[in-house]
Amino acid sequence: MSEETKMHENTPEENTEANAEQTAEAEAGYANITALKKGDTVQGKVVKVDNDQAFVDIGYKYDGIIPLRELSSIPLENAAAAVEVGQEVELKVVTIDDEKEKLVLSKRAVDSEKAWDELQAKLDSQETIEAAVADVVKGGLVVDVGLRGFVPASMVERHYVEDFSDYKGRTLRLKVKELDREKNKVILSQKDVLDEEFEANKQRILNSIEVGQEIEGAVQRLTPFGVFVDIGGIDGLVHISEMAWHHVEQASELVKEGDIVKVQVLKVDPENERISLSMKAVQPGPWEQLGDHIQPGAIVPGTVKRLVSFGAFVEIAPGVEGLVHISQIAHRHIGTPHEVLEEGQEINVKILDLNPAEKRVSLSIKETEEAPAAPPKSEKPRKEKDSANDYVAQPNQSLSLTLGERFGDKLSKFK
C-alpha cells in the first residue's frame, strides 16, 4: 500500500463518524416512517413502470407500488398509459406492511377527490373542458376526467352518429351536464359546446350577410318546397321557384345533398333567423340565353303551358313563354283555344315578334301550316217568267230564243 493511499484511509473513529452521518441523513429522510399510515396523502416520483404496476419513490425506506387498477378510474391496458418514469405524482396510501415491505399506493383515489371539486366548479361556471375518449361502450363514450365520465350518444355531436368505433382516442371538448357523487355519476356533453358555437356563428352570419350578396354553399336537405343550403354554419332556404328560370317539379331534378351551389341572398330575417336564397338569380336569365335560332320569322318547337280565353302561352325555351293569340291558332274561326289545343301539347310555332328587353314574344301556330284550299262556290238555279205565255225556264235550258220561236203563231196572222 502506498503512502498516498495510507494517507487517505479513514481511521476507525472517522468511519464511525461517517456511518453516524449517513444514519442521521437516512433518519432525516425517513422522518415520517412512524407517521405513515393508511389514508395518508404523499408525494412521489415514478421510478419504474411495468405492464400491471408502477413503482414510486416517496422517500420511504422502500418503494411503493401503484397497481394498474389504482392508476386511473378508467380501465387501462397497461401502466404506461397513465404514468411514466420521472413523473411526479400525488398518491394516497392504500395499505402499508413494513414486515413484508409492502406499500400499496393509489393515484386514482387522489385524482378522484380533486376531480369532484374541479368538475363541480366547471358545472357551476359552464366552462369547457377537454378529455380523451377511453372507451366506446353501449349507448355512448367513456372519458377520463379524473373520474369515469360518460358522454351519451345523443350528446356527442349535433348530428346523428351511427358508429362510434373510430372515436376511441379522440379528444372531445365537453361541458359537465350532471354530477352525482353518491352514485359516482358524471355525465358530459360535447353537443352543448357545438350548439353554443353554432349559435354564435349563426348570429355572426346573420349580422354580416347582406341582401344581394353572392356566396357558395353546400346543399344540406331536399324538401318538397325547395332545398336548404349551408352558407357557412347556417342554413338558408332556396325555394323551388328560385332554383331555376324554368319550372322545376322536384328539387332532385337539379341537385343532390352535398352539392356545392352558388346562391344570391334575397332576404335576411335576423329576428326569426331565416335567410332566403336564390340559385336562379346568379344564373343568366332565359331571355339572355336565347340562341340565334330564336329570331323573328323562325319556326321553333314549343310546349303549350297555359290556355286562356284570348290565346295560348307556349314555352319556346326554358323560362321563355310567348303568346299565341287566338286569331293565330288556326286558319278557321275558333271560339276558344281549348277546341284545338291542350296544356302540355308539343307544337311548332312561328316567331312573329321578339322583344327581349320587355320579355315579350308573339307567336303563331297557323303560319306554320299551309292554308287549306277555299271550298268551291255552289251554283244557284235561275228562273224567268215569260210575260206572254208564263214560260218558266228550267235548269240548264237555254233562254236565248228567237222572236219566231216565241211568237211565231201570232205573227202568222199578219201574213
Side-chain angles (χ1 to χ4, degrees), residues 105-270:
L105 305 168
S106 174
K107 179 176 181 292
R108 174 177 63 86
V110 174
D111 291 346
S112 295
E113 288 182 2
K114 289 183 177 180
W116 282 114
D117 295 335
E118 291 174 357
L119 291 173
Q120 184 61 56
K122 303 297 185 186
L123 176 61
D124 295 338
S125 65
Q126 283 299 292
E127 185 179 342
T128 299
I129 61 175
E130 291 188 351
V133 177
D135 200 7
V136 178
V137 297
K138 182 178 181 181
L141 307 174
V142 174
V143 295
D144 185 0
V145 288
L147 296 165
R148 181 186 185 277
F150 182 64
V151 185
S154 61
M155 296 184 185
V156 177
E157 303 286 356
R158 296 188 71 244
H159 57 274
Y160 172 74
V161 178
E162 184 175 357
D163 184 9
F164 288 99
S165 58
D166 63 342
Y167 274 68
K168 188 172 183 178
R170 287 194 193 183
T171 297
L172 305 182
R173 293 172 300 144
L174 305 162
K175 283 190 180 292
V176 181
K177 291 285 289 184
E178 183 181 347
L179 290 177
D180 190 331
R181 193 161 188 168
E182 292 183 1
K183 296 180 180 179
N184 199 35
K185 184 178 180 181
V186 180
I187 304 298
L188 305 112
S189 171
Q190 179 174 250
K191 181 176 180 293
D192 284 10
V193 178
L194 300 177
D195 283 345
E196 281 188 4
E197 293 177 348
F198 174 79
E199 289 300 323
N201 186 57
K202 182 167 64 175
Q203 290 303 317
R204 179 185 61 80
I205 293 175
L206 286 168
N207 293 331
S208 62
I209 200 169
E210 297 180 353
V211 172
Q213 183 177 349
E214 294 184 3
I215 48 182
E216 285 190 342
V219 176
Q220 293 296 305
R221 286 183 294 134
L222 278 63
T223 71
F225 50 85
V227 295
F228 285 95
V229 177
D230 181 354
I231 54 173
I234 183 172
D235 290 350
L237 174 64
V238 180
H239 191 269
I240 198 165
S241 63
E242 290 293 334
M243 293 188 68
W245 288 103
H246 62 277
H247 178 71
V248 178
E249 289 287 347
Q250 295 180 338
S252 57
E253 295 175 16
L254 299 180
V255 297
K256 63 182 182 299
E257 289 185 6
D259 283 354
I260 303 300
V261 295
K262 192 172 184 180
V263 294
Q264 184 182 95
V265 180
L266 298 182
K267 184 179 179 182
V268 181
D269 184 354

Side-chain angles (χ1 to χ4, degrees), residues 43-95:
Q43 296 285 338
K45 179 182 289 187
V46 178
V47 293
K48 183 182 178 182
V49 179
D50 288 343
N51 282 337
D52 59 350
Q53 62 186 355
F55 293 85
V56 183
D57 178 9
I58 64 168
Y60 198 51
K61 56 186 177 181
Y62 52 85
D63 291 339
I65 62 170
I66 311 173
L68 189 63
R69 68 179 181 276
E70 293 296 337
L71 280 167
S72 173
S73 298
I74 304 300
L76 301 175
E77 294 181 0
N78 54 67
V83 292
E84 59 185 15
V85 174
Q87 181 179 345
E88 297 284 346
V89 289
E90 188 173 5
L91 307 162
K92 180 166 284 192
V93 177
V94 177
T95 61

